[in-house]
DNA sequence: TGTTTCGATTGATTTCTATCAATTTGGCGG
DNA sequence: CCGCCAAATTGATAGAAATCAATCGAAACA
């Protein structure tokens, strides 16, 4: 029986943790994992008296939200399938992780997972590496928000989502062809990601539609007709 | 002989690593540490064919710079005395760490330090926790840049620097009194931190001076006359 | 099928910051 | 001491996005 079959984490294609973990650690993880379905809007961690939990996303998108004193929300990160959600060693987390869509996750109780990290250095190392990647990502986002125009920001986010959600084959080259998918975020959430107002986001969508680069379907449907052009508008791709 | 005396890291007041490390690990660290003086402008890591090194800052400030394709720079982080500078497990780091002032650091060769992390889980745990803190910090900065006005951003950065550099006693309460120090950054660098142009930063300084909240001395001198008012302009303090 | 509602779109206008363009200031070397 | 150079300041203007204000459209419901 392969690692893939023993560990529930590995139901996700390209599930990084398992490939880096020893068989023993994967066994231990499988013992404490709980597969969960989580509805859109539910808080995964943060907020008030929330029990600490860690998750690996199997399906869906999680948004990390920073609630400002004035009541406005800033989305400071998005987590996609196979990614880790949680804040180890935190007394009170400054951010809130919320299901942006309905989710399917592998969930671990905070205490069990942290104990396992203590005793299994390979697990801690894996989460550490992911945290370093998240840090790089956060800093690139910061650069984008600080320096890019509204058009470049919207195009950048659409490219990012297209890479995560778009058809697998079409995206291999990442530079051409068309593809279609559903946006995991509302206009308001997109604005909260990019440091823009929703009206501005809407206008940028309109501009991209007018240029024939995208078409919006009903609900949250989006078709990218010209991936190359969208990439050019983005002025550089985001790492995650 | 106390830990404080054995480990060169601990010459910095409140040096977190040592207080969290076992005596054995601190010994090992002391064995591979090199105290260094580094002139302003020198690259600590990143850039082209740079040997990987890790450092703990004893004196001075390090800026983490993201060089954009268009040539502009975005400063995505500042590191102050006692903080860790380095990017473990990176093939090629996307950021460049540069001495914003003349520095005094405890330096470790990349290979020696990473080996030590492998064999001493308490060291890895310590650096992991710092990375998580850096991630929280980066995300708060992102929120600030995305949502605050130019005045709020400048005031926020000045408050942050004041907390790090200002007189120790005066800052205890953090809310009142006056204090004086030298800015570790030029106007251009402040602009690069905040996602603004240097002219805008200069105008915000002028406005704060006109209101009697600050006075600028010669060179990079700054005197904060009304810390309370500066804090109000900042609309919420930055965590780091 | 009509109505309600929430999200999205579009329009008009204002505000803030970037941009372009001189000056001014302070530090440094001759 | 003077002049040069880099950094900082100040001014005038343009431009991008925010803001204010309707309107539209699709899904949900009676």
């Amino acid at each position: 029986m392969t690692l893939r079959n023993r560990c529930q984490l590995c139901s996700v294609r390209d599930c990084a943790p398992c490939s880096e973990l020893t068989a023993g650690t994967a066994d231990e993880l499988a013992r404490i994992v709980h597969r969960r379905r989580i509805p859109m809007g539910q808080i995964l961690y943060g907020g008030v008296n929330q029990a600490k939990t860690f998750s690996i996303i199997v399906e869906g998108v999680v948004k990390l939200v920073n609630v400002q004193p004035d009541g406005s929300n800033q989305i400071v990160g998005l987590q996609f399938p196979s990614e880790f959600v949680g804040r180890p060693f935190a007394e009170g987390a400054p951010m809130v992780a919320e299901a942006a869509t309905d989710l399917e996750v592998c969930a671990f109780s905070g205490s069990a997972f942290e104990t396992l990290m203590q005793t299994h250095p390979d697990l801690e190392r894996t989460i550490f590496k992911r945290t370093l990647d998240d840090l790089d990502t956060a800093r690139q986002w910061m650069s984008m928000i600080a320096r890019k125009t509204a058009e470049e920001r919207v195009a950048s986010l659409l490219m990012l989502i297209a890479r995560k959600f778009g058809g697998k084959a079409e995206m291999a080259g990442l530079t051409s062809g068309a593809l279609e998918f559903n946006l995991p975020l509302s206009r308001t959430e997109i604005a909260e990601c990019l440091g823009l107002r929703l009206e501005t986001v809407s206008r940028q969508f309109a501009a991209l539609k007018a240029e024939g680069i995208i078409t919006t379907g009903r609900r949250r449907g989006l078709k990218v007709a010209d991936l190359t052009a969208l990439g050019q508008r983005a002025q550089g791709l985001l790492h995650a």
Side-chain angles (χ1 to χ4, degrees), chain A:
Chain A
M1 190 184 275
T2 66
L3 191 61
R4 180 172 191 85
N5 291 327
R6 282 190 286 122
C7 170
Q8 291 188 54
L9 294 178
C10 294
S11 60
V12 180
R13 191 174 46 92
D14 301 325
C15 174
C18 295
S19 61
E20 297 176 17
L21 295 174
T22 65
T25 303
D27 273 341
E28 298 282 348
L29 272 177
R31 211 161 287 147
I32 62 171
V33 73
H34 301 281
R35 186 67 78 97
R36 291 258 167 73
R37 293 195 161 276
I38 294 178
M40 184 189 308
Q42 187 169 318
I43 307 296
L44 299 207
Y45 73 80
V48 284
N49 45 311
Q50 194 79 18
K52 192 191 284 191
T53 60
F54 300 109
S55 317
I56 304 247
I57 303 173
V58 175
E59 193 62 48
V61 177
V62 173
K63 56 177 180 174
L64 298 178
V65 185
N66 194 0
V67 180
Q68 306 287 84
D70 68 358
S72 67
N73 290 330
Q74 173 65 28
I75 295 179
V76 295
L78 295 174
Q79 311 278 188
F80 294 92
S82 89
E83 295 178 352
F84 177 79
V85 178
R87 183 21 174 123
F89 315 126
E91 326 75 37
M95 313 293 166
V96 175
E98 181 182 334
T101 66
D102 288 341
L103 300 179
E104 195 173 330
V105 301
C106 294
F108 306 87
S109 89
S111 55
F113 195 82
E114 289 195 343
T115 302
L116 213 56
M117 278 208 291
Q118 300 263 18
T119 52
H120 294 71
D122 59 325
L123 177 60
E124 178 157 324
R125 170 71 53 105
T126 296
I127 304 300
F128 184 15
K129 282 183 176 174
R130 285 174 171 235
T131 301
L132 284 160
D133 290 340
D134 286 345
L135 182 55
D136 288 340
T137 299
R139 286 174 167 160
Q140 290 200 233
W141 270 75
M142 195 190 304
S143 295
M144 181 197 70
I145 290 174
R147 294 218 131 18
K148 285 189 178 180
T149 66
E151 179 184 48
E152 289 164 351
R153 293 186 219 182
V154 170
S156 294
L157 184 62
L158 293 184
M159 283 300 286
L160 171 68
I161 295 171
R163 273 190 293 168
K164 297 281 181 183
F165 278 85
K168 331 301 172 192
E170 296 93 324
M171 294 304 289
L174 242 186
T175 47
S176 63
L179 78 171
E180 207 161 353
F181 54 91
N182 283 318
L183 287 169
L185 304 173
S186 69
R187 294 287 185 275
T188 299
E189 288 172 320
I190 292 172
E192 287 171 352
C193 271
L194 300 175
L196 299 169
R197 313 304 328 229
L198 68 93
E199 295 97 326
T200 303
V201 171
S202 190
R203 280 184 240 274
Q204 296 306 326
F205 269 80
L208 289 170
K209 277 192 279 189
E211 297 183 277
I213 295 172
I214 63 171
T215 22
T216 54
R218 64 189 45 203
R219 257 193 113 195
R220 290 182 175 180
L222 185 80
K223 180 175 174 186
V224 181
D226 189 341
L227 209 43
T228 310
L230 187 63
Q232 286 168 345
R233 303 304 143 115
Q235 292 281 71
L237 299 183
L238 284 168
H239 153 272

